[in-house]
PDB file of all heavy atoms in Angstrom:
ATOM      1  N   ALA A 105      32.193 -23.906  17.872  1.00 98.00           N
ATOM      2  CA  ALA A 105      33.402 -24.709  17.649  1.00 98.00           C
ATOM      3  C   ALA A 105      33.951 -24.401  16.260  1.00 98.00           C
ATOM      4  O   ALA A 105      34.817 -25.107  15.761  1.00 98.00           O
ATOM      5  CB  ALA A 105      33.056 -26.193  17.744  1.00 98.00           C
ATOM      6  N   LYS A 107      36.040 -22.883  13.808  1.00 98.00           N
ATOM      7  CA  LYS A 107      37.304 -22.152  13.595  1.00 98.00           C
ATOM      8  C   LYS A 107      37.343 -21.433  12.253  1.00 98.00           C
ATOM      9  O   LYS A 107      37.912 -20.348  12.134  1.00 98.00           O
ATOM     10  CB  LYS A 107      38.500 -23.098  13.725  1.00 98.00           C
ATOM     11  CG  LYS A 107      38.446 -24.347  12.876  1.00 98.00           C
ATOM     12  CD  LYS A 107      38.050 -25.546  13.679  1.00 98.00           C
ATOM     13  CE  LYS A 107      37.578 -26.678  12.784  1.00 98.00           C
ATOM     14  NZ  LYS A 107      37.493 -27.952  13.430  1.00 98.00           N
ATOM     15  N   ALA A 132      36.201 -24.685  21.854  1.00 98.00           N
ATOM     16  CA  ALA A 132      36.171 -25.917  21.060  1.00 98.00           C
ATOM     17  C   ALA A 132      36.716 -25.719  19.648  1.00 98.00           C
ATOM     18  O   ALA A 132      36.915 -26.687  18.918  1.00 98.00           O
ATOM     19  CB  ALA A 132      34.739 -26.430  20.982  1.00 98.00           C
ATOM     20  N   ALA A 133      36.954 -24.472  19.267  1.00 98.00           N
ATOM     21  CA  ALA A 133      37.426 -24.225  17.898  1.00 98.00           C
ATOM     22  C   ALA A 133      38.903 -24.555  17.724  1.00 98.00           C
ATOM     23  O   ALA A 133      39.371 -24.758  16.615  1.00 98.00           O
ATOM     24  CB  ALA A 133      37.173 -22.760  17.522  1.00 98.00           C
ATOM     25  N   VAL A 134      39.648 -24.585  18.808  1.00 98.00           N
ATOM     26  CA  VAL A 134      41.102 -24.779  18.688  1.00 98.00           C
ATOM     27  C   VAL A 134      41.567 -25.930  19.579  1.00 98.00           C
ATOM     28  O   VAL A 134      41.344 -25.913  20.788  1.00 98.00           O
ATOM     29  CB  VAL A 134      41.867 -23.487  19.070  1.00 98.00           C
ATOM     30  CG1 VAL A 134      43.372 -23.695  18.918  1.00 98.00           C
ATOM     31  CG2 VAL A 134      41.411 -22.311  18.224  1.00 98.00           C
ATOM     32  N   ALA A 135      42.204 -26.906  18.962  1.00 97.00           N
ATOM     33  CA  ALA A 135      42.851 -28.010  19.696  1.00 97.00           C
ATOM     34  C   ALA A 135      41.882 -28.812  20.557  1.00 97.00           C
ATOM     35  O   ALA A 135      42.231 -29.250  21.664  1.00 97.00           O
ATOM     36  CB  ALA A 135      44.018 -27.484  20.543  1.00 97.00           C
ATOM     37  N   GLY A 136      40.684 -29.042  20.044  1.00 94.00           N
ATOM     38  CA  GLY A 136      39.706 -29.935  20.684  1.00 94.00           C
ATOM     39  C   GLY A 136      39.487 -29.629  22.149  1.00 94.00           C
ATOM     40  O   GLY A 136      39.021 -28.561  22.523  1.00 94.00           O
ATOM     41  N   LEU A 160      47.982 -28.972  15.815  1.00 98.00           N
ATOM     42  CA  LEU A 160      46.624 -28.450  16.004  1.00 98.00           C
ATOM     43  C   LEU A 160      45.578 -29.243  15.233  1.00 98.00           C
ATOM     44  O   LEU A 160      44.401 -28.879  15.266  1.00 98.00           O
ATOM     45  CB  LEU A 160      46.568 -26.976  15.567  1.00 98.00           C
ATOM     46  CG  LEU A 160      47.550 -26.036  16.275  1.00 98.00           C
ATOM     47  CD1 LEU A 160      47.496 -24.640  15.670  1.00 98.00           C
ATOM     48  CD2 LEU A 160      47.247 -25.965  17.764  1.00 98.00           C
ATOM     49  N   ASN A 161      46.013 -30.264  14.515  1.00 98.00           N
ATOM     50  CA  ASN A 161      45.037 -31.043  13.763  1.00 98.00           C
ATOM     51  C   ASN A 161      45.184 -32.528  14.100  1.00 98.00           C
ATOM     52  O   ASN A 161      46.203 -33.149  13.795  1.00 98.00           O
ATOM     53  CB  ASN A 161      45.211 -30.809  12.256  1.00 98.00           C
ATOM     54  CG  ASN A 161      44.158 -31.541  11.448  1.00 98.00           C
ATOM     55  OD1 ASN A 161      44.321 -32.705  11.093  1.00 98.00           O
ATOM     56  ND2 ASN A 161      43.037 -30.890  11.198  1.00 98.00           N
ATOM     57  N   GLY A 162      44.148 -33.060  14.732  1.00 97.00           N
ATOM     58  CA  GLY A 162      44.181 -34.453  15.173  1.00 97.00           C
ATOM     59  C   GLY A 162      44.245 -35.421  14.006  1.00 97.00           C
ATOM     60  O   GLY A 162      44.944 -36.449  14.064  1.00 97.00           O
ATOM     61  N   THR A 163      43.529 -35.104  12.938  1.00 97.00           N
ATOM     62  CA  THR A 163      43.501 -36.002  11.780  1.00 97.00           C
ATOM     63  C   THR A 163      44.898 -36.176  11.199  1.00 97.00           C
ATOM     64  O   THR A 163      45.357 -37.292  10.948  1.00 97.00           O
ATOM     65  CB  THR A 163      42.539 -35.424  10.712  1.00 97.00           C
ATOM     66  OG1 THR A 163      41.247 -35.311  11.298  1.00 97.00           O
ATOM     67  CG2 THR A 163      42.467 -36.287   9.475  1.00 97.00           C
ATOM     68  N   CYS A 164      45.596 -35.056  10.973  1.00 98.00           N
ATOM     69  CA  CYS A 164      46.941 -35.141  10.371  1.00 98.00           C
ATOM     70  C   CYS A 164      47.896 -35.858  11.312  1.00 98.00           C
ATOM     71  O   CYS A 164      48.715 -36.671  10.871  1.00 98.00           O
ATOM     72  CB  CYS A 164      47.479 -33.737  10.067  1.00 98.00           C
ATOM     73  SG  CYS A 164      46.655 -32.996   8.673  1.00 98.00           S
ATOM     74  N   GLY A 189      35.714 -40.117  13.534  1.00 92.00           N
ATOM     75  CA  GLY A 189      35.043 -38.827  13.769  1.00 92.00           C
ATOM     76  C   GLY A 189      36.003 -37.674  14.006  1.00 92.00           C
ATOM     77  O   GLY A 189      35.625 -36.661  14.583  1.00 92.00           O
ATOM     78  N   TYR A 190      37.256 -37.795  13.546  1.00 95.00           N
ATOM     79  CA  TYR A 190      38.231 -36.720  13.746  1.00 95.00           C
ATOM     80  C   TYR A 190      38.221 -35.712  12.595  1.00 95.00           C
ATOM     81  O   TYR A 190      38.451 -34.525  12.804  1.00 95.00           O
ATOM     82  CB  TYR A 190      39.663 -37.279  13.836  1.00 95.00           C
ATOM     83  CG  TYR A 190      39.891 -38.311  14.916  1.00 95.00           C
ATOM     84  CD1 TYR A 190      40.914 -39.255  14.785  1.00 95.00           C
ATOM     85  CD2 TYR A 190      39.115 -38.331  16.064  1.00 95.00           C
ATOM     86  CE1 TYR A 190      41.145 -40.207  15.773  1.00 95.00           C
ATOM     87  CE2 TYR A 190      39.342 -39.284  17.052  1.00 95.00           C
ATOM     88  CZ  TYR A 190      40.350 -40.212  16.896  1.00 95.00           C
ATOM     89  OH  TYR A 190      40.580 -41.140  17.860  1.00 95.00           O
ATOM     90  N   ALA A 191      37.989 -36.226  11.389  1.00 94.00           N
ATOM     91  CA  ALA A 191      38.193 -35.389  10.193  1.00 94.00           C
ATOM     92  C   ALA A 191      37.046 -34.397   9.995  1.00 94.00           C
ATOM     93  O   ALA A 191      35.932 -34.596  10.482  1.00 94.00           O
ATOM     94  CB  ALA A 191      38.335 -36.280   8.971  1.00 94.00           C
ATOM     95  N   GLU A 192      37.352 -33.330   9.275  1.00 91.00           N
ATOM     96  CA  GLU A 192      36.327 -32.362   8.877  1.00 91.00           C
ATOM     97  C   GLU A 192      35.388 -33.018   7.862  1.00 91.00           C
ATOM     98  O   GLU A 192      35.727 -34.047   7.254  1.00 91.00           O
ATOM     99  CB  GLU A 192      36.984 -31.143   8.226  1.00 91.00           C
ATOM    100  CG  GLU A 192      37.877 -30.348   9.143  1.00 91.00           C
ATOM    101  CD  GLU A 192      37.133 -29.798  10.346  1.00 91.00           C
ATOM    102  OE1 GLU A 192      36.224 -28.989  10.166  1.00 91.00           O
ATOM    103  OE2 GLU A 192      37.457 -30.202  11.477  1.00 91.00           O
ATOM    104  N   ALA A 193      34.216 -32.392   7.661  1.00 89.00           N
ATOM    105  CA  ALA A 193      33.273 -32.923   6.676  1.00 89.00           C
ATOM    106  C   ALA A 193      33.985 -33.115   5.341  1.00 89.00           C
ATOM    107  O   ALA A 193      33.807 -34.132   4.663  1.00 89.00           O
ATOM    108  CB  ALA A 193      32.104 -31.968   6.531  1.00 89.00           C
ATOM    109  N   PHE A 197      40.355 -30.088   4.150  1.00 96.00           N
ATOM    110  CA  PHE A 197      40.657 -29.006   5.106  1.00 96.00           C
ATOM    111  C   PHE A 197      41.690 -29.464   6.126  1.00 96.00           C
ATOM    112  O   PHE A 197      42.503 -28.677   6.585  1.00 96.00           O
ATOM    113  CB  PHE A 197      39.380 -28.540   5.818  1.00 96.00           C
ATOM    114  CG  PHE A 197      38.581 -27.582   4.994  1.00 96.00           C
ATOM    115  CD1 PHE A 197      37.593 -28.038   4.131  1.00 96.00           C
ATOM    116  CD2 PHE A 197      38.826 -26.223   5.064  1.00 96.00           C
ATOM    117  CE1 PHE A 197      36.879 -27.156   3.353  1.00 96.00           C
ATOM    118  CE2 PHE A 197      38.113 -25.330   4.292  1.00 96.00           C
ATOM    119  CZ  PHE A 197      37.133 -25.802   3.425  1.00 96.00           C
ATOM    120  N   ASP A 198      41.641 -30.743   6.490  1.00 97.00           N
ATOM    121  CA  ASP A 198      42.628 -31.273   7.426  1.00 97.00           C
ATOM    122  C   ASP A 198      43.978 -31.447   6.723  1.00 97.00           C
ATOM    123  O   ASP A 198      44.967 -30.832   7.129  1.00 97.00           O
ATOM    124  CB  ASP A 198      42.171 -32.645   7.966  1.00 97.00           C
ATOM    125  CG  ASP A 198      40.890 -32.565   8.767  1.00 97.00           C
ATOM    126  OD1 ASP A 198      40.925 -31.963   9.837  1.00 97.00           O
ATOM    127  OD2 ASP A 198      39.862 -33.111   8.325  1.00 97.00           O
ATOM    128  N   ASP A 203      42.701 -26.335   8.166  1.00 98.00           N
ATOM    129  CA  ASP A 203      42.133 -26.400   9.520  1.00 98.00           C
ATOM    130  C   ASP A 203      43.165 -25.918  10.549  1.00 98.00           C
ATOM    131  O   ASP A 203      42.839 -25.144  11.454  1.00 98.00           O
ATOM    132  CB  ASP A 203      41.713 -27.851   9.818  1.00 98.00           C
ATOM    133  CG  ASP A 203      41.159 -28.013  11.212  1.00 98.00           C
ATOM    134  OD1 ASP A 203      40.004 -27.635  11.434  1.00 98.00           O
ATOM    135  OD2 ASP A 203      41.899 -28.511  12.088  1.00 98.00           O
ATOM    136  N   LYS A 207      42.965 -22.462  13.019  1.00 98.00           N
ATOM    137  CA  LYS A 207      43.218 -22.469  14.471  1.00 98.00           C
ATOM    138  C   LYS A 207      44.395 -21.563  14.813  1.00 98.00           C
ATOM    139  O   LYS A 207      44.359 -20.807  15.788  1.00 98.00           O
ATOM    140  CB  LYS A 207      43.478 -23.902  14.932  1.00 98.00           C
ATOM    141  CG  LYS A 207      42.251 -24.800  14.777  1.00 98.00           C
ATOM    142  CD  LYS A 207      42.612 -26.267  14.895  1.00 98.00           C
ATOM    143  CE  LYS A 207      41.386 -27.153  14.773  1.00 98.00           C
ATOM    144  NZ  LYS A 207      41.718 -28.575  14.620  1.00 98.00           N
ATOM    145  N   VAL A 282      45.671 -38.828  17.777  1.00 97.00           N
ATOM    146  CA  VAL A 282      44.768 -37.669  17.683  1.00 97.00           C
ATOM    147  C   VAL A 282      45.146 -36.563  18.695  1.00 97.00           C
ATOM    148  O   VAL A 282      44.565 -35.479  18.698  1.00 97.00           O
ATOM    149  CB  VAL A 282      43.300 -38.131  17.870  1.00 97.00           C
ATOM    150  CG1 VAL A 282      43.043 -38.555  19.311  1.00 97.00           C
ATOM    151  CG2 VAL A 282      42.313 -37.048  17.452  1.00 97.00           C
ATOM    152  N   ASN A 284      46.714 -33.460  20.415  1.00 98.00           N
ATOM    153  CA  ASN A 284      47.250 -32.153  19.998  1.00 98.00           C
ATOM    154  C   ASN A 284      48.167 -31.641  21.090  1.00 98.00           C
ATOM    155  O   ASN A 284      48.109 -32.114  22.235  1.00 98.00           O
ATOM    156  CB  ASN A 284      46.133 -31.124  19.825  1.00 98.00           C
ATOM    157  CG  ASN A 284      45.358 -31.247  18.520  1.00 98.00           C
ATOM    158  OD1 ASN A 284      44.627 -30.356  18.142  1.00 98.00           O
ATOM    159  ND2 ASN A 284      45.492 -32.361  17.816  1.00 98.00           N
ATOM    160  N   GLY A 302      42.712 -33.816  20.603  1.00 95.00           N
ATOM    161  CA  GLY A 302      42.484 -32.664  19.746  1.00 95.00           C
ATOM    162  C   GLY A 302      41.272 -32.737  18.845  1.00 95.00           C
ATOM    163  O   GLY A 302      40.951 -31.767  18.155  1.00 95.00           O
ATOM    164  N   ALA A 303      40.597 -33.853  18.797  1.00 94.00           N
ATOM    165  CA  ALA A 303      39.438 -33.970  17.904  1.00 94.00           C
ATOM    166  C   ALA A 303      38.546 -35.098  18.395  1.00 94.00           C
ATOM    167  O   ALA A 303      38.940 -35.889  19.258  1.00 94.00           O
ATOM    168  CB  ALA A 303      39.899 -34.233  16.472  1.00 94.00           C
ATOM    169  N   GLY A 304      37.337 -35.144  17.822  1.00 94.00           N
ATOM    170  CA  GLY A 304      36.403 -36.196  18.219  1.00 94.00           C
ATOM    171  C   GLY A 304      35.304 -35.619  19.094  1.00 94.00           C
ATOM    172  O   GLY A 304      35.434 -34.521  19.643  1.00 94.00           O
ATOM    173  N   THR A 308      35.794 -32.447  21.967  1.00 97.00           N
ATOM    174  CA  THR A 308      35.310 -31.141  21.519  1.00 97.00           C
ATOM    175  C   THR A 308      34.101 -30.720  22.354  1.00 97.00           C
ATOM    176  O   THR A 308      33.961 -29.552  22.743  1.00 97.00           O
ATOM    177  CB  THR A 308      34.973 -31.191  20.012  1.00 97.00           C
ATOM    178  OG1 THR A 308      36.045 -31.867  19.348  1.00 97.00           O
ATOM    179  CG2 THR A 308      34.813 -29.813  19.425  1.00 97.00           C
TER     180      THR A 308
HETATM  181  N1  HSE B   1      39.260 -32.090  11.955  1.00 61.03           N
HETATM  182  C1  HSE B   1      39.783 -31.497  13.135  1.00 61.03           C
HETATM  183  C2  HSE B   1      41.022 -32.255  13.559  1.00 61.03           C
HETATM  184  C3  HSE B   1      38.718 -31.550  14.205  1.00 61.03           C
HETATM  185  O1  HSE B   1      41.288 -33.326  13.018  1.00 61.03           O
HETATM  186  O2  HSE B   1      41.760 -31.778  14.405  1.00 61.03           O
HETATM  187  C4  HSE B   1      39.032 -30.721  15.399  1.00 61.03           C
HETATM  188  O3  HSE B   1      39.065 -29.360  15.084  1.00 61.03           O
END
Side-chain angles (χ1 to χ4, degrees):
K107 53 258 162 165
V134 181
L160 303 175
N161 183 273
T163 301
C164 287
Y190 303 154
E192 296 300 297
F197 279 90
D198 297 293
D203 178 77
K207 294 165 179 169
V282 70
N284 281 194
T308 315

